[in-house]
């Protein structure tokens, strides 16, 4: 029964992506070629090019080019597959053994061996500057058990670790570069072992990487390099692709689909993702330290109307942090917050809040973000809430809310998804997690349910644990999910081999350029 359920879930996801992607695989009938510079319009400046110290989900589009991960994920199913670790095994519930691929080197020539992996995992888990400590919270110790083998001793069983190591926690940075770097971070001068090596970063303007000739995947990458142009205004970015100044733009807003499809030189791909627009809440600060106010906020949002008005219908209304296509989705949780502004007003009254509650929220200044803000302001007004937004660029606004000033009581942003759902929940809803803005405690039963979701490899047992996790998160209204946005990527027709993925975070593994 368990295996059948897994196959059904994978088939559903694969069919959804296949159905949503326009056209067949463009690389099927032609021979891939080496050469050329892939020019990409990127919507945001990265917060950091050090995977351990960055704080924005939009960083991944850059990080994935320069850093390989210990494990990787299948584009369509998010199942883990080998990466820098060519194999792994739980020798017992509290021991994970990683066998590291031999002969891999960092861009500075240093060997990527078991010692380098141990250094990275210990840094990610314990360094004061690391924002991903929670990712490796179950790791008690890291041991080098051979030059190409690392053994992780766990404080509690954690079957999510193989997929966790396909994200920031598994991105390997050169230890020699870190030891030589001022401040112990490579935020501005990254040195990884990925397909591309860092060349330059003109802040807010351009990031350039070049093909790493000693990359361990001998037939990849194919382009000579990638140039990212930082263009926050997505209309301008789209225009740069239709005009031929750039080759590809990702994270296009749905309103651009009909416009850009009219350009004969451009093709569009789209597919479902875990990328969820939401209001992050600081439940350590008024007014969201009051449960009834948080619940009122969720009742006040008309998600169906939000999707139609803000996303041209190219999205799924979100009532939790997992979409319908995901194997751990719980339909009963989705019914907790139907649109009900009268219920919202009643909850505010019960909380002792007078009509006209003012809510200070952070946001971003781009056109699409502002439009979403205007829609929410009007919806919340009907429920007796006055929302006021303070806007700043993504990296600045995210740092101000999560890391430094704890500015505002909420942030309208997006959760870009994680390969394993337990990581999503632990990163947002455990006490010391970076994306728990107030570092506020949560019910012990929630943390217990998150641990339970990682205790077994049996998908049915995990599904039951996630049902509990999702219900506790939403009953406590620790977040206000809005919509799962589809991936929308536009590119010149000379770009071949691009594939969308369920995470919605672009990777360029198979991309090449027709001359």
């Amino acid at each position: 029964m368990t295996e059948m359920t897994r196959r059904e879930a994978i088939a559903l996801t694969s069919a959804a992506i296949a159905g949503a992607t326009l056209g067949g695989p463009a690389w099927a009938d032609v021979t891939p070629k080496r050469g050329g510079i892939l020019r990409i319009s990127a919507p945001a400046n990265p917060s950091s090019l050090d995977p351990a110290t960055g704080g924005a989900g939009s960083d991944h589009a850059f990080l994935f080019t320069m850093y390989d991960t210990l494990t990787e994920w299948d584009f369509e199913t998010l199942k883990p597959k080998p990466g820098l670790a060519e194999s792994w095994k739980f020798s017992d519930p509290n021991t994970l053994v990683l066998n590291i691929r031999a002969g891999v080197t960092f861009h500075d020539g240093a060997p990527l061996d078991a010692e380098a992996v141990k250094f990275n995992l210990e840094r990610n888990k314990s360094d004061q500057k690391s924002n991903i400590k929670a990712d490796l919270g179950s790791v008690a110790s890291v041991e080098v058990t051979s030059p190409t083998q690392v053994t992780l001793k766990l404080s509690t069983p954690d079957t999510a670790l193989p997929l966790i190591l396909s994200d920031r926690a598994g991105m390997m940075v050169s230890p020699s570069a870190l030891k030589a770097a001022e401040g112990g971070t490579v935020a501005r001068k990254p040195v990884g072992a990925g397909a591309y090596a860092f060349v330059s970063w003109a802040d807010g303007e351009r990031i350039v990487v070049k093909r790493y000739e000693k990359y361990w995947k001998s037939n990849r990458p194919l382009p000579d390099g990638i140039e990212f142009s930082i263009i926050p205004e997505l209309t301008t970015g789209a225009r740069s692709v239709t005009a031929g100044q750039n080759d590809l733009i990702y994270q296009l807003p749905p309103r651009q689909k009909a416009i850009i499809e009219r350009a004969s030189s451009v093709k569009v791909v789209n597919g479902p993702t875990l990328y969820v627009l939401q209001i992050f809440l600081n439940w350590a600060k008024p007014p969201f330290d009051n449960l009834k106010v948080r619940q009122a906020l969720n009742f006040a949002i008309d998600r169906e109307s939000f999707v139609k008005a803000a996303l041209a219908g190219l999205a799924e209304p979100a009532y939790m942090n997992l979409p319908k296509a995901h194997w751990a989705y719980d339909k009963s949780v989705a019914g907790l917050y139907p649109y009900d502004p009268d219920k919202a007003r009643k909850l505010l009254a019960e909380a002792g809040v007078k009509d006209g509650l003012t809510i200070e929220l952070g946001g971003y200044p781009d056109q699409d973000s502002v439009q979403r803000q205007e829609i929410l302001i009007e919806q919340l007004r009907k429920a007796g809430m006055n929302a006021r937004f303070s806007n700043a660029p993504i990296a600045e606004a995210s740092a101000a809310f999560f890391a430094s000033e704890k500015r505002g009581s909420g942030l309208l942003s997006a959760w870009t998804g994680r390969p394993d759902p337990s990581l999503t929940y632990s990163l947002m809803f455990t006490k010391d997690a970076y994306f728990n803005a107030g570092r506020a405690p949560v019910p012990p039963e929630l943390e217990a349910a998150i641990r339970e979701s990682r205790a077994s490899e049996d998908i049915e047992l995990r599904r039951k644990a996630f049902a509990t996790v999702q219900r506790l998160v939403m009953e406590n209204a620790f977040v206000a999910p809005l919509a799962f946005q589809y991936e929308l990527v536009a590119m010149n027709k000379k770009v071949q081999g691009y594939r969308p993925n369920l995470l919605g975070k672009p990777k360029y593994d198979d991309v090449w350029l027709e001359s």
Side-chain angles (χ1 to χ4, degrees):
M1 179 64 179
T2 300
E3 290 303 317
M4 181 61 73
T5 304
R6 181 187 289 113
R7 285 197 297 271
E8 289 172 351
I10 289 171
L12 176 63
T13 301
S14 300
I17 290 180
T21 304
L22 300 183
W27 60 96
D29 301 324
V30 285
T31 302
K33 303 172 185 175
R34 289 171 71 90
I37 301 297
L38 178 63
R39 301 165 301 167
I40 296 174
S41 174
N45 201 45
S47 63
S48 170
L49 292 180
D50 185 335
T53 63
S58 53
D59 294 349
H60 285 74
F62 309 99
L63 298 176
F64 279 141
T65 67
M66 291 176 270
Y67 297 101
D68 268 14
T69 47
L70 290 173
T71 60
E72 299 178 8
W73 34 259
D74 180 82
F75 273 38
E76 294 183 355
T77 67
L78 299 185
K79 289 176 63 178
K81 64 180 188 179
L84 293 171
E86 60 185 0
S87 64
W88 63 88
K89 179 178 70 173
F90 284 96
S91 57
D92 64 61
N94 289 79
T95 305
L96 176 60
V97 180
L98 302 171
N99 296 306
I100 308 304
R101 200 174 296 275
V104 179
T105 59
F106 290 103
H107 300 151
D108 61 2
L112 198 163
D113 54 14
E115 290 287 353
V117 172
K118 172 181 167 72
F119 179 92
N120 272 271
L121 294 178
E122 290 182 339
R123 175 188 184 238
N124 293 343
K125 176 178 171 59
S126 305
D127 191 282
Q128 184 178 357
K129 294 179 288 296
S130 173
N131 286 329
I132 51 175
K133 299 182 184 73
D135 296 29
L136 300 173
S138 63
V139 177
S141 66
V142 183
E143 302 172 9
V144 172
T145 41
S146 91
T148 56
Q149 188 180 83
V150 176
T151 298
L152 279 59
K153 294 293 185 180
L154 311 180
S155 57
T156 184
D158 191 357
T159 57
L161 269 176
L163 275 172
I164 286 173
L165 296 176
S166 71
D167 207 279
R168 286 179 181 267
M171 293 182 183
M172 296 292 101
V173 183
S174 167
S176 56
L178 281 166
K179 292 171 184 175
E182 184 178 350
T185 176
V186 291
R188 303 292 307 191
K189 295 182 179 180
V191 182
Y196 296 91
F198 175 76
V199 175
S200 62
W201 178 7
D203 202 38
E205 296 180 11
R206 188 178 302 272
I207 290 175
V208 179
V209 297
K210 65 180 180 180
R211 181 171 58 225
Y212 180 47
E213 298 296 347
K214 295 182 180 179
Y215 186 50
W216 63 273
K217 295 180 184 178
S218 58
N219 63 338
R220 293 292 186 272
L222 292 162
D224 294 330
I226 301 176
E227 292 182 1
F228 293 93
S229 295
I230 313 300
I231 307 177
E233 177 45 60
L234 293 173
T235 300
T236 304
R239 195 177 300 121
S240 76
V241 174
T242 58
Q245 297 164 338
N246 284 308
D247 301 314
L248 181 148
I249 181 171
Y250 60 94
Q251 288 185 0
L252 267 176
R255 62 178 169 80
Q256 287 285 343
K257 183 174 183 288
I259 299 171
I260 205 161
E261 281 182 333
R262 291 200 287 266
S264 60
S265 61
V266 174
K267 56 188 176 182
V268 179
V269 299
N270 67 290
T273 75
L274 304 181
Y275 185 99
V276 59
L277 295 167
Q278 63 182 30
I279 305 175
F280 290 84
L281 304 179
N282 185 336
W283 62 89
K285 288 178 64 175
F288 294 132
D289 57 344
N290 189 308
L291 169 60
K292 291 187 176 181
V293 174
R294 300 196 301 270
Q295 291 174 330
L297 179 72
N298 273 280
F299 277 115
I301 297 168
D302 184 347
R303 292 163 172 85
E304 299 278 353
S305 295
F306 181 86
V307 164
K308 292 176 183 176
L311 298 163
L314 286 174
E316 174 189 326
Y319 297 90
M320 65 189 79
N321 286 101
L322 293 174
K324 291 178 180 178
H326 198 281
W327 57 267
Y329 175 82
D330 190 314
K331 185 177 180 180
S332 65
V333 175
L336 287 177
Y337 294 103
Y339 175 52
D340 192 339
D342 293 333
K343 176 70 172 176
R345 285 181 179 274
K346 182 179 178 182
L347 284 165
L348 290 178
E350 292 174 2
V353 177
K354 294 182 179 180
D355 198 42
L357 171 69
T358 297
I359 302 172
E360 301 289 345
L361 301 172
Y364 309 138
D366 63 277
Q367 178 182 348
D368 294 284
S369 294
V370 171
Q371 182 192 26
R372 294 166 194 154
Q373 293 166 20
E374 292 171 348
I375 293 167
L376 288 170
I377 287 170
E378 180 59 23
Q379 290 189 0
L380 296 179
R381 184 190 61 78
K382 294 177 182 178
M385 303 181 201
N386 297 322
R388 299 196 305 199
F389 285 89
S390 297
N391 291 331
I394 291 176
E396 179 184 334
S398 297
F401 182 69
F402 294 115
S404 53
E405 305 166 36
K406 309 298 182 191
R407 186 190 304 163
S409 54
L411 176 68
L412 175 57
S413 184
W415 180 253
T416 55
R418 295 296 186 273
D420 191 280
S422 68
L423 189 56
T424 283
Y425 288 106
S426 63
L427 288 177
M428 283 195 285
F429 308 117
T430 53
K431 183 181 184 303
D432 295 319
Y434 177 78
F435 295 100
N436 173 353
R439 310 299 189 266
V442 297
E445 56 266 33
L446 175 55
E447 298 220 16
I450 293 173
R451 289 194 298 271
E452 184 66 22
S453 75
R454 302 164 85 150
S456 172
E457 293 183 88
D458 186 295
I459 199 167
E460 285 301 324
L461 294 176
R462 299 199 75 201
R463 190 197 310 276
K464 291 177 182 177
F466 282 122
T468 302
V469 170
Q470 292 172 86
R471 180 163 293 278
L472 287 169
V473 166
M474 293 314 301
E475 284 180 345
N476 285 279
F478 288 134
V479 66
L482 302 171
F484 292 100
Q485 183 171 310
Y486 291 168
E487 179 180 13
L488 188 58
V489 178
M491 66 201 78
N492 292 336
K493 290 186 176 179
K494 71 177 181 179
V495 179
Q496 302 294 325
Y498 182 85
R499 294 179 292 150
N501 63 73
L502 191 55
L503 272 188
K505 297 181 180 182
K507 281 190 173 186
Y508 308 103
D509 298 30
D510 301 309
V511 171
W512 58 280
L513 297 167
E514 284 188 331
S515 57

